[in-house]
Amino acid sequence: MTLSACGGGGGSANTSGQGQGGQGGGQAGQTSQSQTLTVAIGIDADTLDPAGQTTTTIQNILDYVTQPLVALDKDGKTQPLLATSWEPSPDGLTVTFHLRTGVRFQDGTPFDAQAVKFSLDRMLDPKVKVPLRGPFTAIQSVEAKDPQTVVLHLKHPAPALVSALTETAAAIISPASIDKYGNTYENYQHPVGTGPYAFKEWVKNDHITLARFDGYWGQKPYYGSVVFKVVPEAATRESMLLAGQADVIILPPASDLKALQQNPAVKVLLAPSDRTIFIAINTQDPKLKDPRVRQALNYAVDKQAIIQNVLFGAADPMDAPMAKSLFGYCSIGAYPYDPAKAKQLLQEAGEPSLTLRFIAPTGRYVQDFQAAQAIAGDLAKVGVQTSVQTMDWPTYVATMTKPLNENTTQLHMLGWAPGYMDAEQQMVQFLKADWPPAGLASSFYTNPKVEQLVAQAGQTVDPAQRQQLYCEASKQIWSDAPWIFLWTQRFPIVYSAKITGVSYLPNEMFDILNARPAQ
């Protein structure tokens, strides 16, 4: 989110920055001061506060500036980053982190335990807007034991917490930067961290520029600067790449993937992803409170046909409320395309015809608005009329994250990509504590059985028991249908054949820290 809107995420840049890179062309260790890497993305940022972001694309940018204690690697495992090691106590109620030495922030101040305590305390502070705070609420307090040691005291055992700390929300910022560069404690928009690039400029709706931080503690990237160009239209991003105006693009037109794969001027990565794409149903709306209505919407949509004809095969149908790659997944089944069943359920619920508001983004996910239009067409066939609307991403996020008493959404398309490969963060989409504005559970769904199962799983150390608890919760969610469950998206990354070293992480992140000219 992950908004994952999104989704959680984090750590991608950091993992590469530890000196694992330099693969392919060029020579590891070489750098260029004058060369710029241009990356075309589909959306602008809604915030540059690591604690406040919700979107993997923005996390991807911020991860080159700020770093958490630990990082996610390409296999989904947790690796050292600003912490070199850590150990939980036997009772699971504390975790002690040993910090990397010789690290400085981009403003020249030292990284130490006090900086970690400041950043994590701020992330936990209710005065600061942190939509992805949920995984960290097990932390009771943060202790700076000595300059190189931090102890997290927990309210209860939290087996997924260290993995969660790979997320961008848990990044460590310079305490000295909180009242500089226009920042305040609650509105932090000029991030200063320990990463390989420093934030330089944000021109809204146009670009974000980062400049290489030559005081970086790890392996320095090749390019002296990186420009992230905001280009909502997929076809325009593709044109820029083919014209040499961009080096890397994400989410090209899905219909062009085959032709791009055959074009020797570019390289195509169809990266695996944990991003589920769905239509969030406002379960508190009077028209949508009856589960039979929500189940009917699931039966009404021909997901397989949309995947083939609109997404050109770049997705897999969901058979559970999470991606298969997450710990805790179990296959539940499917809502097969059955318009007759949909009509029957709507009739039984006393809603044989409905008119609903439906919004979807443009440029955030693979073929997002086009898919939404196809879904609207399927819904119309069973008597559910919608007029799907779109808007820019910051406005979209602001619209769907309004609190329930101000929220007018009925159906909205969303994606959710957990930042770490555990059901825990997927499940925050189904918990009342994460209803907006506290979180991103924008279907406003809750079920006491699910709440209890997820809470139990979050404190259960035995992996087999955790797996079973998440599976039981998934079955209940599937039956309650707070979403139109759609598909797990693949993550296309396309880059110029003139560069090498572009990679990905399993939480829908592109990794460009090892990018350099091909030889």
Side-chain angles (χ1 to χ4, degrees):
M1 212 188 327
T2 123
L3 245 3
S4 315
C6 328
S12 61
N14 306 330
T15 303
S16 303
Q18 293 178 85
Q20 301 173 7
Q23 301 171 15
Q27 296 180 13
Q30 285 186 341
T31 62
S32 167
Q33 189 64 40
S34 61
Q35 293 191 58
T36 296
L37 186 73
T38 301
V39 183
I41 58 178
I43 57 167
D44 196 13
D46 55 334
T47 177
L48 294 183
D49 184 347
Q53 51 63 43
T54 60
T55 309
T56 49
T57 304
I58 310 310
Q59 293 163 2
N60 221 141
I61 298 170
L62 288 170
D63 284 350
Y64 300 137
V65 178
T66 59
Q67 300 178 308
L69 295 176
V70 287
L72 189 73
D73 70 12
K74 198 172 180 179
D75 297 323
K77 307 298 183 185
T78 302
Q79 300 292 343
L81 193 60
L82 289 179
T84 55
S85 63
W86 55 91
E87 60 266 353
S89 61
D91 62 4
L93 292 176
T94 65
V95 185
T96 300
F97 289 90
H98 304 283
L99 306 184
R100 190 175 298 277
T101 59
V103 177
R104 287 192 171 271
F105 290 103
Q106 292 135 8
D107 61 5
T109 58
F111 162 77
D112 57 18
Q114 287 297 337
V116 175
K117 177 173 172 53
F118 175 84
S119 299
L120 297 186
D121 282 348
R122 178 176 179 269
M123 180 188 66
L124 295 168
D125 189 339
K127 294 197 297 285
V128 179
K129 184 178 179 181
V130 183
L132 301 176
R133 182 183 284 125
F136 310 107
T137 54
I139 300 173
Q140 178 71 52
S141 63
V142 182
E143 177 190 0
K145 187 174 181 179
D146 61 49
Q148 303 307 135
T149 308
V150 170
V151 181
L152 302 186
H153 298 273
L154 309 186
K155 299 170 185 172
H156 50 73
L161 178 63
V162 174
S163 295
L165 287 168
T166 61
E167 290 206 277
T168 307
I172 310 304
I173 60 173
S174 161
S177 69
I178 206 73
D179 55 3
K180 294 181 180 176
Y181 317 111
N183 289 328
T184 66
Y185 180 77
E186 295 177 359
N187 185 18
Y188 187 80
Q189 298 299 324
H190 184 122
V192 178
T194 57
Y197 283 99
F199 171 73
K200 182 178 180 181
E201 179 182 55
W202 178 17
V203 177
K204 292 191 177 183
N205 297 316
D206 192 83
H207 69 272
I208 294 170
T209 300
L210 310 181
R212 190 176 58 222
F213 172 42
D214 286 329
Y216 179 52
W217 59 269
Q219 179 180 306
K220 296 178 181 59
Y222 176 85
Y223 291 97
S225 59
V226 179
V227 175
F228 297 92
K229 288 286 295 181
V230 179
V231 185
E233 295 299 328
T236 307
R237 293 195 295 275
E238 181 185 39
S239 297
M240 289 178 65
L241 177 69
L242 296 177
Q245 297 168 346
D247 302 294
V248 182
I249 66 171
I250 61 170
L251 304 180
S255 57
D256 291 355
L257 278 172
K258 188 172 182 180
L260 287 168
Q261 287 170 324
Q262 295 173 345
N263 186 340
V266 300
K267 303 284 187 183
V268 177
L269 267 178
L270 274 180
S273 164
D274 62 347
R275 177 173 297 284
T276 48
I277 301 291
F278 53 91
I279 306 298
I281 304 170
N282 186 337
T283 60
Q284 302 304 309
D285 186 283
K287 294 181 179 178
L288 299 164
K289 270 199 163 185
D290 190 324
R292 291 172 295 183
V293 174
R294 305 194 298 266
Q295 292 166 357
L297 301 183
N298 272 279
Y299 284 115
V301 177
D302 191 347
K303 297 105 175 174
Q304 193 66 57
I306 296 173
I307 288 172
Q308 292 305 316
N309 300 322
V310 181
L311 278 72
F312 301 93
D316 300 293
M318 291 175 68
D319 63 354
M322 68 182 75
K324 295 179 180 178
S325 55
L326 298 187
F327 173 86
Y329 160 86
C330 68
S331 176
I332 297 173
Y335 279 102
Y337 179 52
D338 191 341
K341 178 79 170 176
K343 288 180 180 178
Q344 175 196 333
L345 287 168
L346 289 170
Q347 190 75 36
E348 291 175 4
E351 299 282 3
S353 63
L354 282 169
T355 299
L356 299 173
R357 292 182 295 277
F358 183 8
I359 58 174
T362 297
R364 176 68 188 97
Y365 313 117
V366 174
Q367 298 285 88
D368 42 18
F369 191 62
Q370 295 90 335
Q373 290 173 308
I375 291 165
D378 281 348
L379 294 178
K381 294 174 186 172
V382 301
V384 179
Q385 303 299 324
T386 63
S387 179
V388 60
Q389 304 291 317
T390 191
M391 59 193 75
D392 67 86
W393 182 248
T395 304
Y396 193 79
V397 173
T399 300
M400 68 183 184
T401 55
K402 288 182 178 177
L404 180 60
N405 62 351
E406 301 172 18
N407 200 306
T408 60
T409 61
Q410 292 178 303
L411 305 176
H412 63 276
M413 175 177 275
L414 202 59
W416 187 251
Y420 52 101
M421 313 306 283
D422 192 288
E424 181 181 76
Q425 201 191 22
Q426 185 79 9
M427 287 297 174
V428 302
Q429 278 283 331
F430 308 113
L431 301 179
K432 189 170 185 178
D434 287 276
W435 287 12
L440 296 171
S442 53
S443 63
F444 297 104
Y445 166 78
T446 185
N447 180 310
K449 180 180 178 182
V450 172
E451 300 272 355
Q452 188 271 331
L453 288 167
V454 172
Q456 190 177 347
Q459 301 182 32
T460 299
V461 176
D462 181 81
Q465 288 184 17
R466 288 189 77 223
Q467 170 77 32
Q468 184 57 37
L469 290 164
Y470 282 131
C471 189
E472 290 181 36
S474 294
K475 291 176 181 175
Q476 185 63 54
I477 294 165
W478 197 255
S479 175
D480 290 341
W483 296 351
I484 302 177
F485 301 101
L486 296 177
W487 43 78
T488 302
Q489 176 181 286
R490 296 175 193 165
F491 186 47
I493 306 164
V494 189
Y495 58 98
S496 168
K498 295 179 180 178
I499 65 172
T500 187
V502 177
S503 189
Y504 67 91
L505 286 179
N507 57 348
E508 203 184 73
M509 295 283 192
F510 53 88
D511 183 353
I512 56 167
L513 274 189
N514 294 321
R516 62 188 59 244
Q519 291 183 341

